[in-house]
Amino acid sequence: MQQGKENTTKTTLKNKTDKTCGNSDLPHTAEETHIRKVVSCPPVLTVNSADVDLQDNDFYELPTFFNLTVQRYDGETCEGQFHGEGVACFEGGHVYKGMFSKGFMDGPGVFTQAGGLKYEGEFVCNMLVGRGTLTWPDASTYEGEVLNAIRHGTGTYRCANNGVMYTGQWDQGKRHGKGVVYFKQGKKTSWYKGDWVKNNREGWGTRCYPSGNTYSGEWKNNLRHGEGAMRWLKLGQQYVGMWQNGVQHGNGTHVWILRRADGSQYSQRNQYAGDFVQGQRHGQGTFCYAGGAIYEGQWRNNKKHGRGKFTFEDGHVFEGEFVHDEMTTSSLNGNKAPTSRPGSSILGPDMALNIECLLEKIPERNRDTERKEVECVVLRKARELRSFYSFYSRLGHAPSPDNSFLMSRLQLWRLLKDCNVHHHSITLAQIDNFIRGDETSAEIHSPFTPMLLRRTLSCLVVVAYHIYHKDVVSQNHLLADCFSKLMTDNIIPNASNVKGFMFRHPDCAEVAVSYLEKCWEVYQDYCRVIAAPREDRTMTCRHLLWLFKDLHLLDSNLSTARLLQIITAESQDPSNTSACLDLEITFLEFFEVLLGSAEVKCPQVSPSSAEAKARSDLPEKSDKAETSNAQDMESQQPVRATVRERPQSAGQRDGGKVVQTSGVRAQDQEVEIWNQTIHQFFNHSFFPAFEHYQLVSRNMKEEKLRQDSQRHVAEARQGAREIQESEQRQQ
């Protein structure tokens, strides 16, 4: 191609849209009620219009190029072809400004379509390949990776019309993989974060609706489908269980939180646990009323219907037929304690065990007996197990009216470590693999993976087998004996006695949790470097030492020996540091080492001495300024102020009040020091160091690629010269 002549570059250009439909409506319920004489019907699950999914709107695709005729070219040429930097104007008003190579758009450049669409980024042989930014005439943008003019890799799309923003993975032009979409970019109050399959929410993800309601669980074709938990914020309700096509379907537990009665210390709640069909209670289920009454039996279309047993608050029992929520007879059994029906399931649906991986190790003829025996042990320990689950699921959370949370894998790790499970020649990372099921490698190592009660119990049974199956003498009831030993030796004596650096104080835990997500990204990024090309990417203690050295975090305070002490603090033999270097660690262990290192590397001065020094260095303030500062401090610490202003009994007044107030203030000071330490370490040491490490690594990689490219060019030129010299010699 020569400058000034009409030439063509074979490219294509198109712009079309594909719409992604939103989710179906969300159900909600009113408050459950109970009337003693006529058993009332709990309300039907209805639709909450405030939680209808917003539309993703148009997600434009990238342009490709039609055959365009070059009308004018200004720029560098080589051997009659566009080569180097130049500007090409095409028929129709399209313009390209950037690098050319042998007649092709190749390298960084900007292509502006006549209609206003603009692409700025990398080109390879007239194709959009690499990273770039695309801007549509309506100001919508896409910034990220492209392959053959298709969004492919990671990138961010922003829609100017409705504020929708998606950041995450793409595959062949569609959202596919991990990603987050904000439906109102400015407010970020309506979002989805999780898995995508070909533009649909599919897999595991969390959806926050405009009303504040949240769902965390499995999705399929943009609908809640599988196992998940839904919380209705204003209604005070929660459902945990199975979903199908957007509604409750299968086993589940629905809880209605009632207003706290005057003078009561605890919130009251109704709870249904059992079968659901298309959003209604249908099948076998148990309803526990806030007043203490219990119904166990059959349901049809949200009403008690069929054989059932109703136990009143005073212990009186009616057992018989129900029709449309009413008893068929007025006769009541007198003061008869509730008993289990013959043939009923030993464990309810919320505690059902999934231990098929263990039963496969048992002779087939004994499997039913083994399952029944271990379920009996779980049932006998149900009260303790529920209590421990509730306790650990609350760690790191601010107090809630109902105090009901789903346990995360991070909290499960903490439970196992508190119970010294890792002292039995088994690591938490190995336990994750034992209970992984159908989960991907990323899911089994994620601290945010929710663990329902039944899944947690199944995990404990699996752990019990792996650490005690060789110690159990009798093999008749192997699983039951192993689980009993785990409960007796590990769980009951140690659970709720929280160790480690993260959860030892509620206020400290809330601060530490705020750094979880970013530290998880660091953990994943470093694992990708050290574990490539392995799929199961985890970190060892040795890798953790390398990380601290790579980031230059070691100093006179935090030496290698001191870091090893922090790493092995909860080991069975802390003095034997060499034995743990090659052991895999979970994110909890990684994160708690960071917290422990912060206390050593960034020690803070006590508030009293710091305050005295500050007062000696600063000029005197007016009474008005001091009053204003005191009010500001009180407004920033409402929780602590409430604790200090709690009414005292007569015996605690005067001298007793002074002692208690002093103790509370001292505790607040310790928490404040710890918070400052953590903030200093993460924001001024760890995160900046890791960002610098990434920048250096990226520059080194780019420099290596540049050197490799130069070497290849030199080799090509040398080859060309040798061919030319050979031809000249032949002539």
Side-chain angles (χ1 to χ4, degrees):
M1 296 183 184
Q2 297 179 353
Q3 183 176 351
K5 293 184 179 181
E6 290 189 357
N7 298 291
T8 60
T9 53
K10 294 184 178 181
T11 55
T12 59
L13 180 62
K14 69 176 181 177
N15 179 17
K16 69 177 183 178
T17 63
D18 61 90
K19 292 187 177 181
T20 301
C21 295
N23 200 351
S24 65
D25 296 345
L26 291 175
H28 72 85
T29 60
E31 196 173 89
E32 291 272 8
T33 57
H34 159 242
I35 301 177
R36 179 187 180 96
K37 294 184 178 179
V38 178
V39 183
S40 66
C41 168
V44 178
L45 298 173
T46 59
V47 174
N48 185 348
S49 59
D51 277 338
V52 175
D53 244 359
L54 300 175
Q55 298 294 315
D56 292 310
N57 206 10
D58 295 338
F59 273 79
Y60 298 113
E61 292 191 356
L62 299 180
T64 53
F65 298 112
F66 291 111
N67 292 337
L68 299 176
T69 303
V70 178
Q71 288 185 326
R72 187 179 72 254
Y73 173 79
D74 296 323
E76 301 172 354
T77 61
C78 180
E79 298 180 358
Q81 293 183 323
F82 305 159
H83 193 87
E85 188 172 358
V87 178
C89 298
F90 303 95
E91 282 187 355
H94 315 303
V95 178
Y96 170 79
K97 180 179 180 180
M99 300 303 296
F100 289 83
S101 178
K102 298 180 180 180
F104 292 98
M105 293 180 287
D106 197 289
V110 179
F111 185 92
T112 305
Q113 192 182 14
L117 187 144
K118 177 182 176 182
Y119 171 79
E120 181 176 359
E122 301 175 20
F123 290 78
V124 176
C125 295
N126 284 349
M127 294 298 294
L128 282 63
V129 176
R131 293 193 64 86
T133 300
L134 193 74
T135 305
W136 280 270
D138 65 354
S140 297
T141 62
Y142 170 79
E143 181 178 356
E145 296 176 294
V146 294
L147 178 65
N148 297 331
I150 298 176
R151 289 166 296 193
H152 191 87
T154 58
T156 298
Y157 170 80
R158 294 178 174 85
C159 181
N161 293 332
N162 56 18
V164 172
M165 181 181 75
Y166 170 79
T167 299
Q169 297 173 316
W170 300 77
D171 184 81
Q172 298 298 318
K174 297 183 182 296
R175 287 159 289 167
H176 190 91
K178 299 288 185 181
V180 56
V181 60
Y182 293 99
F183 296 96
K184 288 294 182 182
Q185 182 179 342
K187 298 182 179 179
K188 292 188 177 180
T189 55
S190 176
W191 49 268
Y192 168 81
K193 182 177 182 180
D195 298 328
W196 297 80
V197 175
K198 297 187 183 301
N199 267 353
N200 291 326
R201 293 187 286 274
E202 195 155 317
W204 190 273
T206 299
R207 175 76 167 95
C208 179
Y209 297 93
S211 62
N213 299 338
T214 59
Y215 170 79
S216 182
E218 295 178 285
W219 297 77
K220 185 176 181 181
N221 195 27
N222 282 329
L223 297 175
R224 298 177 296 275
H225 191 96
E227 188 175 312
M230 181 80 190
R231 299 193 69 178
W232 292 271
L233 183 64
K234 295 181 180 179
L235 296 174
Q237 299 178 28
Q238 175 176 294
Y239 171 80
V240 179
M242 302 304 296
W243 298 76
Q244 186 179 85
N245 297 326
V247 297
Q248 299 97 321
H249 190 88
N251 287 322
T253 300
H254 198 118
V255 177
W256 295 259
I257 307 299
L258 307 182
R259 291 183 179 180
R260 184 173 299 175
D262 294 338
S264 172
Q265 184 179 358
Y266 303 101
S267 298
Q268 292 183 315
R269 66 184 191 177
N270 295 321
Q271 174 178 299
Y272 170 81
D275 298 329
F276 287 83
V277 174
Q278 296 300 315
Q280 293 188 323
R281 296 179 285 277
H282 192 100
Q284 196 73 26
T286 299
F287 199 103
C288 299
Y289 292 89
I294 300 175
Y295 171 77
E296 303 170 85
Q298 296 175 326
W299 297 76
R300 180 187 294 178
N301 299 331
N302 248 23
K303 295 182 178 181
K304 306 171 190 66
H305 192 94
R307 187 72 180 174
K309 180 174 65 174
F310 194 93
T311 305
F312 292 90
E313 295 94 325
D314 60 2
H316 284 77
V317 175
F318 169 81
E319 191 165 3
E321 293 291 329
F322 288 76
V323 176
H324 298 300
D325 239 11
E326 296 183 358
M327 304 173 185
T328 57
T329 175
S330 59
S331 62
L332 297 175
N333 298 327
N335 294 326
K336 177 181 172 183
T339 57
S340 300
R341 292 185 306 275
S344 61
S345 176
I346 296 179
L347 297 177
D350 63 327
M351 299 181 68
L353 300 178
N354 181 8
I355 53 173
E356 300 303 321
C357 60
L358 298 182
L359 293 176
E360 292 176 355
K361 305 176 185 295
I362 307 296
E364 188 172 358
R365 64 180 182 277
N366 298 332
R367 291 177 185 174
D368 289 341
T369 302
E370 285 284 350
R371 177 187 289 277
K372 181 178 180 181
E373 290 297 328
V374 74
E375 285 181 347
C376 287
V377 178
V378 172
L379 189 61
R380 287 197 297 269
K381 304 293 184 181
R383 184 177 62 83
E384 293 94 334
L385 290 168
R386 289 183 183 274
S387 175
F388 296 147
Y389 181 90
S390 176
F391 175 83
Y392 279 90
S393 64
R394 295 196 302 269
L395 293 181
H397 291 290
S400 169
D402 58 347
N403 284 330
S404 61
F405 299 95
L406 278 180
M407 181 184 285
S408 67
R409 192 181 295 270
L410 182 81
Q411 295 160 335
L412 174 64
W413 287 331
R414 189 64 264 169
L415 167 63
L416 296 176
K417 291 210 74 175
D418 289 344
C419 297
N420 299 323
V421 169
H422 60 299
H423 290 177
H424 294 269
S425 301
I426 186 173
T427 65
L428 300 185
Q430 289 174 317
I431 293 174
D432 287 339
N433 284 294
F434 290 149
I435 64 172
R436 69 181 300 167
D438 297 331
E439 291 179 316
T440 64
S441 176
E443 290 171 333
I444 67 170
H445 298 307
S446 171
F448 308 111
T449 302
M451 305 291 294
L452 297 177
L453 174 61
R454 59 175 175 267
R455 191 176 181 192
T456 302
L457 298 180
S458 301
C459 170
L460 294 180
V461 174
V462 171
V463 169
Y465 171 82
H466 282 283
I467 68 177
Y468 286 127
H469 72 279
K470 294 181 180 179
D471 299 336
V472 174
V473 178
S474 174
Q475 298 293 310
N476 292 332
H477 302 144
L478 178 61
L479 301 184
D481 291 344
C482 289
F483 186 70
S484 295
K485 188 170 179 61
L486 179 75
M487 291 295 297
T488 303
D489 296 354
N490 298 91
I491 305 295
I492 294 178
N494 299 300
S496 302
N497 181 22
V498 181
K499 305 171 187 174
F501 295 97
M502 184 174 180
F503 297 115
R504 60 186 176 185
H505 191 283
D507 290 342
C508 296
E510 290 181 36
V511 173
V513 166
S514 65
Y515 293 98
L516 272 180
E517 191 165 346
K518 192 167 183 179
C519 287
W520 171 236
E521 294 175 359
V522 172
Y523 180 89
Q524 290 177 297
D525 288 342
Y526 197 73
C527 284
R528 274 191 287 268
V529 174
I530 62 178
R534 290 191 299 117
E535 178 185 356
D536 190 12
R537 294 166 177 162
T538 55
M539 184 184 292
T540 65
C541 295
R542 191 184 303 277
H543 294 144
L544 186 53
L545 285 174
W546 292 349
L547 174 63
F548 273 75
K549 291 181 178 179
D550 290 341
L551 302 187
H552 304 289
L553 294 176
L554 300 178
D555 54 22
S556 57
N557 289 334
L558 184 62
S559 62
T560 302
R562 188 70 182 90
L563 179 59
L564 281 172
Q565 291 178 354
I566 296 173
I567 293 174
T568 59
E570 293 188 64
S571 300
Q572 187 174 11
D573 183 8
S575 61
N576 188 7
T577 57
S578 59
C580 75
L581 287 179
D582 294 320
L583 295 179
E584 291 180 302
I585 59 175
T586 60
F587 174 74
L588 170 69
E589 294 158 309
F590 165 80
F591 188 64
E592 291 207 324
V593 169
L594 295 183
L595 297 178
S597 301
E599 296 182 7
V600 175
K601 186 175 177 64
C602 304
Q604 297 289 328
V605 182
S606 66
S608 57
S609 60
E611 183 180 359
K613 184 178 185 303
R615 288 181 177 176
S616 64
D617 294 341
L618 296 176
E620 294 184 0
K621 297 181 180 179
S622 65
D623 295 340
K624 182 177 181 181
E626 290 181 358
T627 303
S628 175
N629 290 340
Q631 291 175 348
D632 291 342
M633 291 180 64
E634 289 298 324
S635 65
Q636 295 173 2
Q637 299 174 336
V639 176
R640 295 167 190 159
T642 301
V643 173
R644 288 195 292 269
E645 293 169 4
R646 183 173 53 192
Q648 304 292 325
S649 63
Q652 292 175 316
R653 293 174 184 170
D654 300 330
K657 182 177 181 180
V658 173
V659 173
Q660 184 176 18
T661 304
S662 175
V664 171
R665 287 177 178 173
Q667 187 180 40
D668 286 348
Q669 289 178 351
E670 292 180 3
V671 172
E672 187 62 31
I673 292 174
W674 194 87
N675 293 347
Q676 293 175 5
T677 298
I678 297 307
H679 174 79
Q680 176 72 19
F681 176 76
F682 282 116
N683 294 304
H684 300 284
S685 183
F686 183 71
F687 292 148
F690 189 77
E691 290 170 1
H692 177 72
Y693 168 79
Q694 287 181 309
L695 178 62
V696 172
S697 300
R698 187 162 54 249
N699 290 340
M700 291 176 61
K701 184 177 180 180
E702 291 175 355
E703 178 64 20
K704 185 177 183 303
L705 291 175
R706 187 184 65 81
Q707 292 176 356
D708 291 343
S709 177
Q710 291 178 345
R711 186 176 67 254
H712 292 158
V713 171
E715 292 174 352
R717 289 176 177 173
Q718 179 64 26
R721 283 196 297 269
E722 292 176 356
I723 293 174
Q724 187 176 6
E725 291 173 358
S726 176
E727 291 176 350
Q728 290 176 353
R729 286 194 297 270
Q730 291 178 359
Q731 291 176 357

